[in-house]
Amino acid sequence: MLKRTVFFIGLFMSLLLVLGAQVIRAQSDTYVSADQNKRGELVKTYGAQIQAYQDTYRRYSLAYTQYRQLQTIASLGELVDLSRETMRRRGEVILTYLDILYLELQLVSDEQSASKQTLLKGLEQLHYDFLLQQNLIANSQDYKALNTRAEAFVDLIWTLDYYSLKTKAYVYSSKVQDFYLETQSYAKQIEEEYQQNPKSNSKAVERQRAMDQIADSFAKLESLRQAVDKEEAEDEIDQGWYTQYLSKLQAVQNQLLLVLAYLKEASRL
Amino acid sequence: MLKEAEHNQTIFSQVEPILDDQLPKKSLLKSKEVVTQEHKTPWFKQPRKVIIAVVLSLTFLMVTMWLLLAQNKTEPSVVLDQLPIPTKSPVATDLPAQIENTRQRLKRLDFQDSALVFPQIDRKIYINLVD
């Protein structure tokens, strides 16, 4: 009797605990990776929307060819409908792209940066403008109204180009900056370790050489970083500027890898 | 001697003889009484059983909690391609290992994230009427 009672109490309690713990674990996992999940969902949606846009665009191209061949009211009507649909799909793709850029920028570590805040505000404004465009496109009934929307879109897309390049450059640069700070802290830790635990003559010489090498590497890294941080005029920001910017960042990344390799060796001395 | 023998006989004769068939019956009755008594008293009013139950429950609780805590220490399963770069080194213990961990993460830093590539779209969807 006693054994049975104890068994059932134990079974009930363990079930309760396992269920409770699973709920807590699930909640905690959700909390930790909430931003990453959101990003994953956005990227998934983005892919699906691009696919939908491409399918509609194919039908729109066919309708355009058909209209040019037939030149009938019916074919024009179909072209208008498909133009509206393609523009709407294109707008959806851009809105999700803006969401991804915004989230990526939000995840960047430096909260108080003025550049980051400016970019966030710019992206918010663009999101609003494109959303407004979507409503206007949905309400456009004839080809004239759609052409007016098309002209407005061209202006907006240039602004999006600018914010897209600036945001991406900022995000990648911030990620490299985080690694730079981490590398600096390692150098500091090694220096402190050397001071606290001095070694014999030969080892001390080796350590000194390592520190000199690391100092030289950091100096080179600084000059590379300054080249990246150089301010550009707004009208200079285009695809060419972005490609150059990435190559400069790449150089900083390579130099950082070299410094980290030196630091790893130095930490063993 | 005779008196003494008589006395002993008297004592022996005073003891009530237990018959063979009476012994199991008595034991059976006694054990039945004990069982009935146990049935009448609920287990939680019996201190010995309550103590055993509490000790067993607590032990079970502690073992379960320990197992759950150990489970929680393991990293949550996530889709790797959704996580571009982890921000902290998870298991690095000593400085060279930490540096190596950072180095590996930096190596994986990709400046061509497909999610950030500008969408391939037709920038000018415009309806030109045929004259």
Side-chain angles (χ1 to χ4, degrees):
Chain A
M1 182 66 188
L2 171 70
K3 278 182 186 172
R4 209 183 301 164
T5 314
V6 169
F7 172 74
F8 281 116
I9 289 172
L11 193 70
F12 175 71
M13 283 176 76
S14 63
L15 275 173
L16 210 67
L17 275 165
V18 168
L19 284 173
Q22 288 301 324
V23 169
I24 291 164
R25 264 193 86 190
Q27 280 176 347
S28 120
D29 287 359
T30 311
Y31 177 75
V32 167
S33 57
D35 287 331
Q36 294 299 343
N37 281 345
K38 196 179 169 187
R39 188 187 190 274
E41 279 170 24
L42 279 173
V43 171
K44 206 174 161 185
T45 311
Y46 185 52
Q49 284 174 341
I50 285 177
Q51 189 64 51
Y53 162 75
Q54 283 169 349
D55 291 345
T56 319
Y57 189 80
R58 250 177 253 125
R59 290 195 291 138
Y60 154 78
S61 301
L62 283 172
Y64 212 118
T65 313
Q66 205 169 15
Y67 163 69
R68 294 197 80 81
Q69 285 171 351
L70 301 174
Q71 296 177 31
T72 59
I73 298 292
S75 60
L76 177 63
E78 201 184 338
L79 175 62
V80 167
D81 286 347
L82 277 166
S83 300
R84 189 192 305 112
E85 183 62 10
T86 314
M87 285 164 116
R88 198 180 64 77
R89 297 271 187 203
R90 184 180 62 180
E92 281 176 357
V93 168
I94 287 167
L95 283 171
T96 310
Y97 179 66
L98 277 167
D99 285 341
I100 294 172
L101 284 181
Y102 192 85
L103 181 69
E104 203 72 30
L105 191 58
Q106 270 188 322
L107 292 175
V108 163
S109 53
D110 50 343
E111 294 290 326
Q112 304 302 321
S113 159
S115 314
K116 181 180 168 179
Q117 295 308 319
T118 312
L119 284 172
L120 283 172
K121 277 181 188 166
L123 290 174
E124 275 170 24
Q125 183 60 45
L126 259 179
H127 195 278
Y128 174 79
D129 293 342
F130 273 107
L131 211 56
L132 197 67
Q133 271 284 311
Q134 288 292 85
N135 289 332
L136 292 171
I137 287 165
N139 294 325
S140 301
Q141 296 303 318
D142 56 8
Y143 80 94
K144 282 181 186 168
L146 282 175
N147 282 349
T148 312
R149 301 287 81 81
E151 281 161 14
F153 181 83
V154 171
D155 292 338
L156 277 177
I157 204 79
W158 285 118
T159 319
L160 176 61
D161 258 338
Y162 169 81
Y163 276 103
S164 163
L165 294 173
K166 281 285 275 183
T167 306
K168 285 191 285 186
Y170 188 85
V171 166
Y172 289 138
S173 161
S174 298
K175 283 180 180 176
V176 172
Q177 174 70 8
D178 286 347
F179 279 108
Y180 172 74
L181 293 174
E182 219 172 315
T183 308
Q184 263 193 332
S185 84
Y186 290 141
K188 204 176 170 188
Q189 280 180 58
I190 291 168
E191 208 177 337
E192 282 171 5
E193 170 67 22
Y194 283 4
Q195 282 169 0
Q196 282 165 13
N197 301 304
K199 294 272 177 173
S200 63
N201 284 343
S202 62
K203 208 77 175 167
V205 170
E206 209 176 342
R207 277 180 166 188
Q208 189 54 50
R209 275 189 199 149
M211 289 316 286
D212 290 347
Q213 186 73 57
I214 288 163
D216 287 349
S217 307
F218 263 112
K220 197 178 173 191
L221 187 63
E222 281 303 322
S223 67
L224 290 170
R225 285 181 69 241
Q226 277 171 13
V228 171
D229 291 341
K230 198 182 143 197
E231 284 288 322
E232 296 289 335
E234 281 195 13
D235 56 342
E236 284 176 10
I237 292 170
D238 54 13
Q239 193 56 48
W241 167 83
Y242 181 65
T243 312
Q244 273 193 347
Y245 190 88
L246 285 192
S247 69
K248 286 177 194 170
L249 267 186
Q250 190 81 54
V252 175
Q253 184 188 25
N254 291 339
Q255 187 63 22
L256 265 173
L257 283 169
L258 189 72
V259 175
L260 281 166
Y262 284 144
L263 286 172
K264 190 183 162 191
E265 291 305 312
S267 66
R268 286 178 175 147
L269 293 174
Chain B
M1 282 287 281
L2 192 66
K3 272 186 178 180
E4 199 177 340
E6 208 172 74
H7 177 72
N8 283 343
Q9 201 179 7
T10 314
I11 289 167
F12 277 114
S13 63
Q14 278 174 358
V15 176
E16 194 184 338
I18 299 167
L19 296 172
D20 285 346
D21 57 340
Q22 276 180 327
L23 185 67
K25 277 181 186 173
K26 277 195 169 181
S27 305
L28 199 66
L29 279 171
K30 208 170 183 180
S31 63
K32 271 184 181 173
E33 272 175 24
V34 172
V35 172
T36 323
Q37 207 175 8
E38 273 185 5
H39 273 290
K40 279 175 188 172
T41 318
W43 70 272
F44 50 83
K45 285 189 179 172
Q46 299 172 44
R48 194 172 63 90
K49 290 181 180 177
V50 169
I51 289 166
I52 292 169
V54 168
V55 167
L56 280 172
S57 302
L58 282 173
T59 314
F60 199 86
L61 191 81
M62 280 172 71
V63 169
T64 318
M65 288 299 286
W66 176 76
L67 282 171
L68 290 170
L69 282 170
Q71 248 188 342
N72 274 340
K73 277 180 186 171
T74 58
E75 279 189 39
S77 59
V78 284
V79 183
L80 281 174
D81 59 0
Q82 287 183 4
L83 288 174
I85 309 290
T87 49
K88 297 281 172 195
S89 57
V91 286
T93 46
D94 57 337
L95 198 54
Q98 277 181 17
I99 295 170
E100 183 53 29
N101 187 285
T102 308
R103 221 173 139 260
Q104 291 306 322
R105 284 190 293 120
L106 180 60
K107 262 187 187 175
R108 288 198 297 271
L109 180 62
D110 179 19
F111 297 129
Q112 304 293 334
D113 186 353
S114 59
L116 298 181
V117 172
F118 199 88
Q120 296 291 314
I121 48 162
D122 184 348
R123 292 176 176 227
K124 201 169 185 181
I125 295 172
Y126 198 86
I127 302 171
N128 281 319
L129 285 192
V130 179
D131 296 324

